[in-house]
Amino acid sequence: MAVNGIKSLRNLPVTSGLGASRAFSSAAKSKKTKGAAASDAPKQSTLSKEVKSTTVVGANILKDGTDPKILPDSEYPEWLWRLLDKKPALSELRRKNIETLPYEDLKRFVKLDNRARIKENNTTRAKN
């Protein structure tokens, strides 16, 4: 059945777009320029400053939910404040004495050292 449909499409006359021209009305052109100018302008927020300072705007992922409220710092766990701290690089950890490293730095050293050895082994065994 699909083959018959394709055969019928082959029999349709093909017209080239060389002779045909397409024109737009002046109203369509004016709407296009108005839309472009409006999209370039910065959008004004409809939320009040009070709402912005007490809620996390845009953090809601549920259809029927609401944005979460901002809590005082004491309500959040301690690890949250250490997420953005800079961690030492492998070269810096190699310069330090391993016996004096704290547990977290020692764990990071082992992980980064293993990763570096795996990469080195992969490059030496790579087919060239």
Side-chain angles (χ1 to χ4, degrees), residues 64-119:
D64 297 328
T66 59
D67 288 331
K69 301 287 183 194
I70 297 176
L71 302 174
D73 289 352
S74 61
E75 296 291 321
Y76 294 104
E78 279 300 314
W79 57 265
L80 182 66
W81 307 115
R82 295 188 305 266
L83 283 178
L84 296 178
D85 292 347
K86 296 288 182 185
K87 295 182 174 85
L90 178 61
S91 59
E92 186 179 331
L93 291 172
R94 282 184 175 157
R95 282 186 250 130
K96 294 180 180 180
N97 187 4
I98 294 176
E99 286 83 25
T100 60
L101 286 176
Y103 178 71
E104 292 296 320
D105 287 345
L106 184 63
K107 197 165 79 169
R108 180 171 170 77
F109 172 74
V110 170
K111 179 179 82 169
L112 294 177
D113 190 49
N114 282 339
R115 185 181 295 165
R117 282 189 290 115
I118 289 169
K119 283 184 180 182

Side-chain angles (χ1 to χ4, degrees), residues 53-72:
S53 65
T54 59
T55 60
V56 183
V57 179
N60 178 31
I61 59 170
L62 302 175
K63 196 175 206 178
D64 297 328
T66 59
D67 288 331
K69 301 287 183 194
I70 297 176
L71 302 174

